[in-house]
Amino acid sequence: MTGVLRDFAARAAGAGDEPALSCAGEVWSAREFWDAVHFRAGQLRASGVERGDRVTIALRKGPEAVAWLFASLLCGAIAVPLDRRAPALRLAALLADLEPAVALFDAPTFARFEESGGRLPDAGRQILSDPPPTPSGSEVQRFVSPPLAASDPAMILMTSGTTGDPKGIVLSHGNIAAFSDWALEVFSLGPDDRFLNIAPLHFDLSLLDILTGLRIGAQVVLAEEGDALFPARLCQLAEEHRISVLYTVPTILQAMVARGGLATRALPGLRWVLFAGEVYPPPALARLITAVPQARFANLFGPTETNVIAWTEVEHAPATGEAPNIGSACAHSRIDICDAQGAPVGPGETGEICVAGPTVMLGYWNQPELTRERYFAGRNDIFRTGDFGFREPAGDIRFVGRQDRQAKLRGHRVELGAIEARALALDGVAGAAATVCDAGQSLCLHVAVQPEATLSQAGLRRALSLVLPPHEVPSCFIFYEDWPTTSSGKCDMARLDANHRSLLYDQGETS
């Protein structure tokens, strides 16, 4: 049995009436939660689920979905949380590829799935919502996990990345344990902590607040689906439940400060604010630090394929325009900055951020060629993240950008992140994202406007022309009060790109 599962067993054995998991007013005690986990693990086994089988979870976020996730891990299956709000045809394609032994749906999701023509693979079975009630604790038979090694797959996290093509990231029990163990030590997490979980189950941030929080007997408060769109609601949850650890993406934290009233909330117990997944604009980061001065702040870095591999505690916001500091490698990993052939480069030289360590995924589900592409030819010793940066002489790593954030613009090679950084230095700009369309002829800057600020296209164009070469000055601007976001809370770049294309179409229609 792996270390995480051993801790699960210990929590179940000692569980009492202390609150463990809550969502939308529904509170499960530790005893209720672990009884439910063991009972559902038995249901999965009775349904024929064996070690290594996939169990897909397309359930509304809440204690029930979390119990099924933990039950899947306990019985040796591979848990696959899905975005239940994804189009039905996309869900059908994922299920056909995953071939689950059990596909879990709630009733509304399954009805939408069927109405849209979705069909389960022949091997799949569905268990709908409203499962049998969990017997009382004295009647729940404790489920004994099969022998599992650190190398056994535990979860598949589906991500589309920047391409829009689904990729299943296969994480082992050892991957999860290595990250969880590191976080417990670095942030001194314990049973007295209270976590606010904002991320959906299919986003890797949940491996900290849900899986690690319940592993150590802490209380976990689940934000409901859609709460990420209402920052005041998130701030209210943090205050009501006396949250001590908050882990989310910068886009959500910016909204909590700007529109949620985070600075006005009574949060004396907030120890850590952790953020990952995106670059935090320095002016917005300064506002966050001012809003909750009692907390400590940390920037966590790493793609879903590796989870967190570098981190730094942030005491003050960096200067605008600086390459973001992602700190140094976590104790479990080794990071090299490599050239295109895989050779390490010297301090100050930009290269690809590559990592070796126990948090690196097993591979992409059913995509061996794609997995091989993430390693240098003839080698499997170090994983290519696709992110670029350089190491300072003192050892910290500066993040430059992703390879796919470079674009060809009217014959010039440009780094979109550099254009965005210049825009973020301007008054009134809360967020900036650049897209290129029309075969590299049109550069659009999408701008999130600070509350009560007044911005104009002409004013921004004049300001940017003073700090950018002519070919990098955007040809159009689109303003937003709030960023469109993905299900994980990140800025939805695909939506921004579609808005850019729609603007070009409208201009063509009216010209």
Side-chain angles (χ1 to χ4, degrees):
M1 186 184 295
T2 65
V4 171
L5 293 182
R6 278 196 299 270
D7 287 347
F8 286 0
R11 288 294 158 203
D17 294 329
E18 65 278 10
L21 195 60
S22 62
C23 182
E26 181 183 10
V27 181
W28 285 22
S29 71
R31 180 181 294 111
E32 289 171 326
F33 174 72
W34 289 109
D35 282 353
V37 170
H38 280 263
F39 180 64
R40 281 148 184 71
Q43 286 183 288
L44 291 174
R45 178 59 52 82
S47 297
V49 173
E50 298 181 355
R51 173 179 170 180
D53 285 342
R54 275 74 60 206
V55 174
T56 57
I57 304 169
L59 301 173
R60 185 176 184 84
K61 184 180 175 184
E64 188 69 48
V66 176
W68 282 111
L69 172 63
F70 277 59
S72 302
L73 297 175
L74 197 65
C75 72
I78 305 174
V80 193
L82 299 176
D83 182 0
R84 73 183 191 95
R85 292 173 291 180
L89 292 180
R90 178 184 172 94
L91 286 175
L94 292 175
L95 290 167
D97 184 48
L98 291 163
E99 296 184 327
V102 166
L104 294 161
F105 289 89
D106 55 43
T109 304
F110 189 67
R112 180 173 61 84
F113 179 74
E114 282 196 313
E115 289 169 2
S116 300
R119 291 291 181 269
L120 289 170
D122 292 340
R125 293 175 294 278
Q126 71 274 12
I127 300 176
L128 300 179
S129 60
D130 195 23
T134 306
S136 63
S138 60
E139 299 174 17
V140 173
Q141 184 176 357
R142 291 301 167 192
F143 188 89
V144 179
S145 295
L148 293 170
S151 58
D152 283 324
M155 294 182 70
I156 298 176
L157 299 181
M158 304 303 305
T159 177
S160 297
T162 55
T163 65
D165 298 323
K167 298 190 294 289
I169 295 169
V170 185
L171 302 179
S172 69
H173 284 272
N175 292 154
I176 294 171
F179 166 70
S180 183
D181 291 346
W182 170 82
L184 289 175
E185 180 178 356
V186 168
F187 303 115
S188 300
L189 304 176
D192 292 332
D193 275 311
R194 294 166 177 258
F195 294 80
L196 175 59
N197 165 255
I198 300 173
L201 297 184
H202 60 270
F203 191 26
D204 60 342
L205 271 64
S206 292
L207 295 180
L208 175 63
D209 39 39
I210 291 181
L211 193 143
T212 301
L214 292 170
R215 174 190 179 189
I216 60 175
Q219 184 176 349
V220 178
V221 178
L222 304 175
E224 291 185 85
E225 290 177 355
D227 276 352
L229 300 176
F230 301 97
R233 171 61 177 160
L234 297 177
C235 294
Q236 179 186 2
L237 288 172
E239 183 177 41
E240 285 183 355
H241 295 277
R242 305 190 304 280
I243 295 302
S244 63
V245 180
L246 176 60
Y247 183 28
T248 187
V249 296
T251 295
I252 289 178
L253 286 171
Q254 290 180 71
M256 291 174 71
V257 173
R259 297 184 293 105
L262 185 64
T264 67
R265 299 290 180 169
L267 300 168
L270 186 59
R271 299 196 303 117
W272 281 105
V273 177
L274 313 175
F275 51 89
E278 303 170 306
V279 173
Y280 212 130
L285 181 54
R287 290 190 287 273
L288 172 68
I289 294 172
T290 300
V292 281
Q294 72 276 21
R296 297 168 69 182
F297 304 86
N299 180 19
L300 279 54
F301 171 83
T304 304
E305 289 88 340
T306 68
N307 212 309
V308 178
I309 55 173
W311 82 288
T312 183
E313 185 169 355
V314 180
E315 297 180 354
H316 55 80
T320 300
E322 284 185 1
N325 182 5
I326 60 173
S328 57
C330 299
H332 54 62
S333 292
R334 185 190 92 238
I335 293 179
D336 290 339
I337 311 297
C338 298
D339 63 18
Q341 287 70 47
V345 301
E349 295 183 66
T350 297
E352 187 170 4
I353 300 172
C354 302
V355 60
T359 64
V360 177
M361 68 170 184
L362 296 178
Y364 294 111
W365 177 259
N366 277 349
Q367 299 191 66
E369 286 298 325
L370 184 59
T371 302
R372 280 192 286 271
E373 289 174 8
R374 301 308 295 268
Y375 294 87
F376 293 103
R379 297 171 55 182
N380 61 2
D381 61 324
I382 194 160
F383 180 83
R384 307 177 64 176
T385 66
D387 294 308
F388 285 76
F390 61 88
R391 195 185 302 273
E392 296 181 320
D396 278 1
I397 299 168
R398 295 278 179 168
F399 175 75
V400 172
R402 286 195 61 81
Q403 189 174 34
D404 49 31
R405 293 291 286 146
Q406 295 178 345
K408 200 71 172 291
L409 179 64
R410 297 186 288 273
H412 298 274
R413 177 68 62 182
V414 299
E415 173 55 58
L416 299 181
I419 298 171
E420 295 162 355
R422 291 295 188 180
L424 286 169
L426 303 177
D427 290 339
V429 176
T435 56
V436 173
C437 290
D438 195 21
Q441 297 302 304
S442 175
L443 169 65
C444 182
L445 188 68
H446 306 261
V447 178
V449 182
Q450 291 180 12
E452 302 181 1
T454 301
L455 297 175
S456 69
Q457 295 201 32
L460 280 180
R461 187 175 286 111
R462 282 195 300 270
L464 290 173
S465 67
L466 299 176
V467 293
L468 292 172
H471 67 270
E472 292 186 5
V473 176
S475 53
C476 61
F477 297 83
I478 300 177
F479 297 101
Y480 301 81
E481 180 179 344
D482 301 306
W483 283 127
T485 57
T486 65
S487 62
S488 58
K490 295 182 181 180
C491 178
D492 189 342
M493 293 301 298
R495 179 78 63 83
L496 300 189
D497 184 71
N499 291 347
H500 184 184
R501 295 178 188 277
S502 177
L503 178 65
L504 292 177
Y505 177 81
D506 291 342
Q507 290 174 340
E509 287 290 295
T510 58
S511 61

